[in-house]
Structure formats: structure tokens, C-alpha cells
Amino acid sequence: GDEEVPAGAVAVLTTCSVDVLSHSAVRARNGGVLFATCYDPDILKTLADADGAPMSVTVKGDDVAWEAVDASTIHGATHAGTGASGRGLVPAGIKLEQIPFCGKFSVPLEEFQAGVVGAKARNTRALNESLGGGKIPDWIRLPRSMVIPFGTMEHILKDPMNKSVAAELAQLTATVDDSSEASLTRTLKACRMCVRSLLPPPDMLDEIEDAMLDAGMEPPESEERWGNAWAALVAVWASKWNDRAFVSLRNAGINHSDLRMSVLVQPVVDADYAFVIHTVNPSSNDESELYAEVVMGLGEVLVGNFPGRALSFAVKKAAAAEAAGGAGGGPPPLS
């Protein structure tokens, strides 16, 4: 479903289970928006009957309470802050720096740095630097990685072989129509289809192949597989014109044309289980506690909030460290 919290919303109530570490839940927390699940039909009916009435909502632990209030009180509180709590919202009119192309089509792990690659890639380098060199057991493997850096798409749009694509994309982006949901979907789709028609400049794929081999990854072994890889790469670039991305930037007051994308390339693990761990419990903001969620299959099942519920647990960092050191005589207690 749509992960974007509607503009102006201060609370979202759903009858579906929501994984705490899913993208939709993270977006709500970052925006200071209450995101709650309710299974009780009587409570839902009570709230539905109050449609249009001003309410004040408070959260204590896992409990949500509400009460009817004077409309002027709500108006004053809304203008005193932003969103539900004044936390985490992007200031309107923020400007992104237009990151230039670094001059090469691939970047190795040791060169992952700000202004060249994104935060996830930089965190991958930090993970390797902090845990590599025999600091962890051999059965725990660190991800092999390389990146196609910021500004690559904009650079190849300037290549003479993509001149017609660049001209068409400029025209399409200038005529994106957000007057209605249908027109926005239609015009953004045209932009994505245009980006998907980009052609790789000479030697670009050779450079990417060399970078993959240097990183310990197996590159595509046939022309057909290279065609699939290129289609996947341009699809990532085209996602800049997804409805969700466009609306998110618009709501934050960010110029869509300023956005640059890098692409982190890693092997996909055919996993039985996937997990996400937060080093601070997002529900309680307890910095002494880890919080994790585990699902069957790949990580998209969790972050995409697929139907069902993740296995979740919390553990105190001190207890985990003690158990890892052998002093605890067993695994740390989970909650």
C-alpha cells in the first residue's frame, strides 16, 4: 500500500497489523504521526461516529486515549508545532545540493563517501571497517558491495547517444500534471518509461563488470543477463518518478529535479529468514534496548508490511554483551 502519510494528518488508525520496523511505521514516527492498530469493532464504531469532531489523543505505552475538545484548542496546538508532535518533519522549502558526477561509473567499497554514494552504502563501509579483519566469526559474512554513484543518470543523459531521450524527458518532466491522482499517475509513468529507454555509454558495462569482480561478485554471464541487469538499473533510476517519491518531495517542499540517485549493488541472499534490528527501541525510545523483527523470506516482506505479523523481540544491550562474553551462561533475556 501507500507508505506516505497524508498531508496534514496527525494520526492514522488501521484495522491491520503493522510491523514496527516497516517503512510505513518508520515514516509515521519520523513525521511525528500517531500510527495505531485497533481490532475492537466497538471502538472503531465510536470513532467513526465522531467523524468531523475535534479530538485530543494521548499515548501512554501501548495504550491510546482520546477525548473531545474545543476546536480552537486544536487549532492553537497545530500552529504551535508541526505534525502530531513537532518532531522529525522536513522544513518546507529545503534545497538539495545537486551532486555532480564523480567521473566514473563504479565506486569500490573503500571509496564509499558522502557526496558520491548514499547513506546505506556508507553504512556498509562502516560495518566492514568495524567488524572486518577477523573481529567476528567466519560464519558471519559481511556484504560484498559496489556502487553506481550519484549523478550517473544525469551524466549519461548528456551522452549524444541519449540525446533524444534527454529531450523527451525534459519535455515530459515539464508537463507532469498533479491536478489529480489519475493525471499524476499517467504523466509520471510516461517519465519512467522514457528513462527506461536510456542506453549505456561505451565501456560503462565493462567498468561495472570489473568493479563487480573486484568486489567478489559474479557479474552477468551472458548478453541476455546483461540486458536484464541494465533494465534493472534504469528501473531504479526511473523510480525517481514514482508517485510516492514525487509526492513525498512535493510535500516536503523539495525540488524534484534536485534529487540524485546512487545504486548500491550487492548479491541477493536466498534467505530462509530476514530481520531488521534497531539499536534504540523505537516504541519506547529506550537507548539501552535493542528491538528486532524477523520474518520468513526476504526483507521486503518486513519493510513492505506484507500481510501477517513479524516475530518481534527486545533485549537489553548490557545483557547481550554479557552473554556474548560468556559471563551470562546463556542467551540474554528477550521480551
Side-chain angles (χ1 to χ4, degrees), residues 23-294:
H23 285 161
S24 54
V26 171
R27 281 174 176 264
R29 283 194 295 274
N30 288 346
V33 174
L34 170 64
F35 192 11
T37 299
C38 178
Y39 301 116
D40 190 324
D42 294 333
I43 294 177
L44 293 171
K45 184 178 185 306
T46 299
L47 289 171
D49 291 342
D51 184 24
M55 290 279 186
S56 174
V57 181
T58 56
V59 180
K60 293 183 178 179
D62 293 332
D63 296 325
V64 179
W66 63 92
E67 61 179 347
V69 295
D70 184 84
S72 62
T73 305
I74 297 292
H75 182 76
T78 301
H79 283 76
T82 50
S85 64
R87 296 183 292 103
L89 296 184
V90 180
I94 190 172
K95 183 175 177 60
L96 295 178
E97 178 185 357
Q98 293 189 3
I99 302 174
F101 179 58
C102 68
K104 54 185 180 179
F105 296 118
S106 64
V107 178
L109 178 69
E110 59 272 16
E111 296 179 18
F112 289 3
Q113 58 188 4
V116 179
V117 303
K120 185 175 290 187
R122 298 199 304 275
N123 288 338
T124 299
R125 177 183 177 182
L127 183 70
N128 276 266
E129 291 177 346
S130 61
L131 298 181
K135 298 175 185 175
I136 55 177
D138 292 340
W139 57 269
I140 301 178
R141 301 178 184 179
L142 297 174
R144 292 159 289 172
S145 311
M146 54 81 64
V147 163
I148 298 164
F150 286 131
T152 301
M153 182 189 74
E154 289 73 19
H155 175 74
I156 69 171
L157 275 167
K158 299 175 183 177
D159 191 288
M161 68 189 307
N162 288 310
K163 182 178 180 180
S164 61
V165 178
E168 181 184 0
L169 183 61
Q171 180 180 9
L172 289 171
T173 55
T175 55
V176 170
D177 182 1
D178 63 350
S179 60
S180 70
E181 182 177 348
S183 63
L184 181 62
T185 297
R186 174 176 49 79
T187 52
L188 288 178
K189 181 180 180 180
C191 293
R192 294 195 301 272
M193 295 302 294
C194 180
V195 172
R196 287 171 180 262
S197 65
L198 282 168
L199 298 173
D203 301 328
M204 178 179 180
L205 298 184
D206 290 337
E207 182 178 328
I208 292 175
E209 180 177 16
D210 291 342
M212 292 181 70
L213 290 170
D214 289 343
M217 290 184 281
E218 294 184 8
E221 71 281 0
S222 66
E223 289 294 328
E224 180 182 1
R225 293 295 299 274
W226 270 113
N228 293 339
W230 179 254
L233 174 58
V234 293
V236 173
W237 288 335
S239 69
K240 174 179 175 178
W241 285 270
N242 280 352
D243 297 32
R244 185 181 301 158
F246 185 90
V247 172
S248 297
L249 292 172
R250 182 192 62 189
N251 290 350
I254 299 174
N255 189 339
H256 186 268
S257 64
D258 291 341
L259 180 65
R260 297 291 184 270
M261 298 183 69
S262 65
V263 182
L264 175 61
V265 180
Q266 296 177 322
V268 174
V269 177
D270 186 15
D272 295 320
Y273 298 93
F275 62 89
V276 174
I277 298 177
H278 276 213
T279 53
V280 175
N281 190 322
S283 298
S284 62
N285 291 322
D286 186 348
E287 296 185 1
S288 69
E289 197 169 61
L290 299 170
Y291 180 85
E293 289 183 332
V294 184

